[in-house]
Coordinates of all heavy atoms in Angstrom, one line a residue:
I220 N 1.4 12.4 -2.7 CA 2.5 11.6 -2.7 C 2.7 11.3 -1.2 O 3.0 12.2 -0.4 CB 3.8 12.2 -3.2 CG1 3.6 12.5 -4.7 CG2 5.0 11.3 -3.0 CD1 4.8 13.3 -5.3
R221 N 2.6 10.0 -0.8 CA 2.5 9.7 0.7 C 3.9 9.1 1.1 O 4.1 8.9 2.3 CB 1.5 8.7 1.0 CG 0.1 9.3 0.7 CD -1.0 8.4 1.1 NE -0.8 7.0 0.7 CZ -1.7 6.0 0.9 NH1 -2.8 6.3 1.5 NH2 -1.4 4.8 0.5
G222 N 4.8 8.9 0.2 CA 6.1 8.4 0.6 C 6.8 7.7 -0.5 O 6.3 7.6 -1.7
Y223 N 8.0 7.3 -0.3 CA 8.8 6.6 -1.3 C 9.4 5.3 -0.6 O 9.9 5.3 0.5 CB 10.0 7.5 -1.7 CG 9.6 8.8 -2.2 CD1 9.4 9.9 -1.3 CD2 9.4 9.0 -3.6 CE1 9.0 11.1 -1.8 CE2 8.9 10.2 -4.0 CZ 8.7 11.3 -3.2 OH 8.3 12.5 -3.7
T224 N 9.2 4.2 -1.3 CA 9.6 2.9 -0.7 C 10.3 2.1 -1.7 O 10.2 2.3 -2.9 CB 8.3 2.1 -0.2 OG1 7.6 1.8 -1.4 CG2 7.5 2.9 0.8
A225 N 11.0 1.1 -1.2 CA 11.7 0.1 -2.0 C 10.7 -1.1 -2.1 O 10.2 -1.5 -1.1 CB 13.0 -0.3 -1.4
K226 N 10.6 -1.7 -3.3 CA 9.8 -2.9 -3.5 C 10.8 -4.1 -3.2 O 11.7 -4.2 -4.0 CB 9.2 -3.0 -4.9 CG 8.2 -1.9 -5.1 CD 7.6 -2.0 -6.4 CE 6.6 -0.8 -6.6 NZ 6.0 -0.8 -7.9
L227 N 10.5 -4.9 -2.3 CA 11.3 -6.1 -1.9 C 10.8 -7.4 -2.4 O 9.6 -7.6 -2.5 CB 11.5 -6.1 -0.3 CG 11.9 -4.8 0.3 CD1 11.9 -5.0 1.9 CD2 13.3 -4.4 -0.1
D228 N 11.7 -8.2 -2.8 CA 11.4 -9.6 -3.2 C 11.3 -10.5 -2.0 O 12.2 -10.8 -1.3 CB 12.4 -10.1 -4.1 CG 12.1 -11.4 -4.7 OD1 11.8 -12.4 -4.0 OD2 12.1 -11.6 -6.0
G229 N 10.0 -10.9 -1.7 CA 9.8 -11.8 -0.6 C 10.6 -13.0 -0.5 O 11.1 -13.4 0.6
E230 N 10.9 -13.6 -1.6 CA 11.7 -14.9 -1.6 C 13.1 -14.5 -1.1 O 13.7 -15.2 -0.3 CB 11.8 -15.4 -3.1 CG 10.6 -16.0 -3.6 CD 10.4 -17.5 -3.4 OE1 11.5 -18.1 -3.1 OE2 9.3 -18.0 -3.4
Q231 N 13.6 -13.4 -1.6 CA 15.0 -13.1 -1.3 C 15.3 -12.6 0.1 O 16.4 -12.6 0.6 CB 15.6 -12.1 -2.4 CG 15.6 -12.7 -3.7 CD 16.6 -12.2 -4.6 OE1 17.7 -11.8 -4.2 NE2 16.3 -12.2 -6.0
I232 N 14.2 -12.1 0.7 CA 14.4 -11.6 2.1 C 13.8 -12.6 3.1 O 13.7 -12.3 4.3 CB 13.7 -10.2 2.3 CG1 12.1 -10.3 2.1 CG2 14.3 -9.2 1.4 CD1 11.4 -9.0 2.5
G233 N 13.6 -13.8 2.7 CA 13.2 -14.9 3.6 C 11.7 -15.0 3.9 O 11.3 -15.6 4.9
L234 N 10.9 -14.3 3.2 CA 9.4 -14.3 3.4 C 8.7 -14.8 2.1 O 8.0 -14.0 1.4 CB 8.9 -13.0 3.8 CG 9.6 -12.4 5.1 CD1 9.1 -10.9 5.3 CD2 9.2 -13.2 6.3
P235 N 8.9 -16.0 1.7 CA 8.4 -16.5 0.4 C 6.9 -16.8 0.4 O 6.3 -16.9 -0.6 CB 9.2 -17.8 0.2 CG 9.5 -18.3 1.5 CD 9.7 -17.1 2.4
L236 N 6.3 -16.9 1.6 CA 4.9 -17.3 1.6 C 4.0 -16.0 1.8 O 4.1 -15.4 2.8 CB 4.6 -18.3 2.7 CG 3.3 -19.1 2.6 CD1 3.4 -20.4 3.4 CD2 2.1 -18.3 3.1
T237 N 3.2 -15.7 0.8 CA 2.2 -14.6 0.9 C 0.8 -15.2 1.0 O 0.5 -16.2 0.4 CB 2.3 -13.8 -0.4 OG1 3.6 -13.3 -0.5 CG2 1.4 -12.6 -0.3
A238 N 0.0 -14.6 1.9 CA -1.4 -15.1 2.1 C -2.3 -13.9 2.3 O -1.9 -12.8 2.7 CB -1.5 -16.0 3.3
L239 N -3.6 -14.1 2.0 CA -4.6 -13.1 2.3 C -5.5 -13.7 3.4 O -5.9 -14.9 3.3 CB -5.5 -12.9 1.1 CG -4.7 -12.3 -0.2 CD1 -5.6 -12.4 -1.4 CD2 -4.3 -10.9 0.1
I240 N -5.7 -13.0 4.5 CA -6.4 -13.5 5.6 C -7.6 -12.6 5.8 O -7.6 -11.4 6.0 CB -5.6 -13.5 6.9 CG1 -4.3 -14.3 6.7 CG2 -6.4 -14.0 8.1 CD1 -3.3 -14.2 7.8
S241 N -8.8 -13.2 5.7 CA -10.1 -12.5 5.9 C -10.4 -12.7 7.4 O -10.4 -13.7 8.0 CB -11.2 -13.1 5.0 OG -10.8 -13.0 3.7
L242 N -10.9 -11.6 8.0 CA -11.3 -11.5 9.4 C -12.8 -11.3 9.5 O -13.4 -10.4 8.9 CB -10.6 -10.3 10.1 CG -9.1 -10.2 9.9 CD1 -8.6 -9.0 10.8 CD2 -8.4 -11.5 10.4
T243 N -13.4 -12.1 10.4 CA -14.8 -12.0 10.7 C -14.9 -11.9 12.2 O -14.3 -12.8 12.9 CB -15.6 -13.2 10.2 OG1 -15.4 -13.3 8.8 CG2 -17.1 -13.0 10.5
P244 N -15.6 -10.9 12.8 CA -15.6 -10.8 14.2 C -16.3 -12.0 14.9 O -17.3 -12.5 14.3 CB -16.4 -9.5 14.5 CG -16.7 -9.0 13.2 CD -16.3 -9.9 12.1
N245 N -15.8 -12.5 16.0 CA -16.5 -13.5 16.8 C -17.8 -13.0 17.4 O -18.7 -13.7 17.5 CB -15.6 -14.1 17.8 CG -14.5 -14.9 17.3 OD1 -14.6 -15.5 16.2 ND2 -13.4 -15.1 18.0
D246 N -17.7 -11.7 17.8 CA -18.8 -11.0 18.4 C -19.2 -9.8 17.6 O -18.4 -8.8 17.6 CB -18.5 -10.6 19.8 CG -19.6 -9.8 20.5 OD1 -20.7 -9.6 20.0 OD2 -19.3 -9.3 21.7
P247 N -20.2 -9.8 16.8 CA -20.6 -8.7 15.9 C -20.8 -7.4 16.7 O -20.7 -6.3 16.1 CB -21.9 -9.1 15.2 CG -21.9 -10.6 15.4 CD -21.2 -10.9 16.6
A248 N -21.0 -7.5 18.0 CA -21.3 -6.2 18.8 C -19.9 -5.7 19.3 O -19.9 -4.6 19.9 CB -22.2 -6.5 20.0

Side-chain angles (χ1 to χ4, degrees):
I220 298 173
R221 297 187 312 185
Y223 303 87
T224 62
K226 294 181 181 178
L227 305 177
D228 183 307
E230 291 269 339
Q231 298 209 28
I232 62 168
L234 300 171
L236 197 155
T237 301
L239 300 166
I240 303 173
S241 300
L242 308 181
T243 304
N245 288 338
D246 177 5

